[in-house]
Amino acid sequence: MRIAVLQDEAEVLGIERNLDAIDRAAQSASENGAKILLTSELFAVGYAPYVLRDSLDVTLLPAVRQRLSQIAAEHSIALVYSLPEITENGWLITSTFLDERGVKLAHYQKVQLFGAEEHEVFIAGTNPPATFEYAGMTMGMVICFDVEFPEIVREAARRSVQLLLVPTAMGRGYEQVCTRLVPTRAMESQLFIAYANHSGTEAGFELAGTSVIAGADGEILAQAGSCTELLTADIDVSTLEQIKSEVPYLAEARRDLYAQWQSK
């Protein structure tokens, strides 16, 4: 399966501009044979927690979700998008998976918030990685800082996830997350990871780009630079059994023993 990752600079509160960018990327990705388009964290509204808290018209969010469903259906491509979710307990950062008809198959709330802005504006989710079936593959979703915790990615693997989809908003100076950590997470938990970052600057925050698609053996299948780019790679889950047999991290993990250590 071919997957596409949109790396672009969002306009903070420039919802129409951002949706148009997703629309163009969906068309291009679909024409290039991609079956899934992954977009970055909060891309449709821009990554700027304080600005969103103070100025986002939350009544627009249902229409934004509807437009995203229309984009997926129009271009016959599955779509992963990220938006704030407003609840009675507070705001969460979420990601949603739409199939090629624009139908929602999965939804996830970010567990690991990063930095002062996120902690002040959002509350943390508590549910495990989203897990669902699509196109004969078991897929999962987490968001940004979540993937930097091995426990979260290993939990996705424990739930038989083969492809982990990760919207992110990672700043400059942390490029090693893309070039080193994400491929390592993929290798140690023996699953594919697609990781979509922003480029450019949003509300003064400089984004690192360097989005990546990593193989279950740790190989970098595709890596973006620092600018706008539509990244693609082919995911072949038929290779997973061989990868797992050659280095049996999952089969030989002594989970019962590790759990005993936590109590000591």
Side-chain angles (χ1 to χ4, degrees):
M1 173 188 288
R2 181 164 298 168
I3 181 171
V5 169
L6 173 61
Q7 176 175 289
D8 196 1
E9 180 178 8
E11 178 183 333
V12 176
L13 300 180
I15 293 174
E16 285 304 316
R17 179 268 173 206
N18 299 335
L19 291 175
D20 286 345
I22 294 174
D23 194 356
R24 290 191 300 271
Q27 179 178 355
S28 178
S30 181
E31 290 174 349
N32 192 37
K35 301 302 181 185
I36 300 173
L37 173 64
L38 172 66
T39 64
S40 55
E41 184 179 14
L42 299 178
F43 182 83
V45 293
Y47 183 83
Y50 290 153
V51 177
L52 298 182
R53 178 193 62 190
D54 296 338
S55 302
L56 177 64
D57 181 356
V58 299
T59 66
L60 297 175
L61 292 177
V64 173
R65 294 188 181 94
Q66 179 61 32
R67 172 78 185 282
L68 289 162
S69 293
Q70 291 170 348
I71 289 171
E74 180 179 350
H75 300 296
S76 297
I77 190 169
L79 175 64
V80 180
Y81 68 81
S82 173
L83 282 173
E85 179 179 349
I86 316 304
T87 73
E88 62 181 12
N89 295 320
W91 290 28
L92 298 105
I93 300 174
T94 72
S95 62
T96 300
F97 185 97
L98 305 175
D99 71 10
E100 77 284 358
R101 301 165 297 166
V103 176
K104 182 172 74 172
L105 294 189
H107 186 71
Y108 173 76
Q109 299 169 333
K110 186 175 183 178
V111 169
Q112 298 288 165
L113 301 177
F114 180 82
E117 289 194 32
E118 286 193 12
H119 280 279
E120 291 179 30
V121 175
F122 298 102
I123 60 175
T126 58
N127 292 322
T131 306
F132 56 100
E133 301 295 321
Y134 182 71
M137 191 183 305
T138 304
M139 300 188 181
M141 290 190 301
V142 298
I143 299 173
C144 194
F145 199 34
D146 290 334
V147 82
E148 298 184 42
F149 291 79
E151 298 88 350
I152 293 177
V153 181
R154 184 53 65 88
E155 180 61 24
R158 193 183 70 81
R159 294 169 180 263
S160 302
V161 168
Q162 298 168 308
L163 170 61
L164 190 63
L165 302 161
V166 189
T168 192
M170 190 190 67
R172 291 186 187 175
Y174 294 94
E175 288 83 353
Q176 66 271 24
V177 172
C178 293
T179 59
R180 298 180 183 178
L181 189 146
V182 170
T184 298
R185 287 287 171 272
M187 180 178 178
E188 70 189 6
S189 285
Q190 298 181 314
L191 42 69
F192 292 87
I193 298 179
Y195 183 89
N197 196 22
H198 299 245
S199 59
T201 303
E202 300 173 26
F205 180 46
E206 296 184 347
L207 285 303
T210 57
S211 300
V212 64
I213 303 172
D217 57 358
E219 178 184 0
I220 293 177
L221 303 178
Q223 181 99 62
S226 60
C227 300
T228 296
E229 188 170 344
L230 187 63
L231 199 65
T232 61
D234 292 322
I235 303 297
D236 182 4
V237 296
S238 70
T239 62
L240 287 174
E241 288 308 313
Q242 180 178 351
I243 290 169
K244 292 176 181 180
S245 66
E246 289 177 350
V247 185
Y249 292 134
L250 302 178
E252 296 192 9
R254 300 182 63 187
R255 297 188 184 92
D256 293 343
L257 177 61
Y258 309 153
Q260 293 176 27
W261 292 348
Q262 293 178 11
S263 64
K264 293 181 179 180

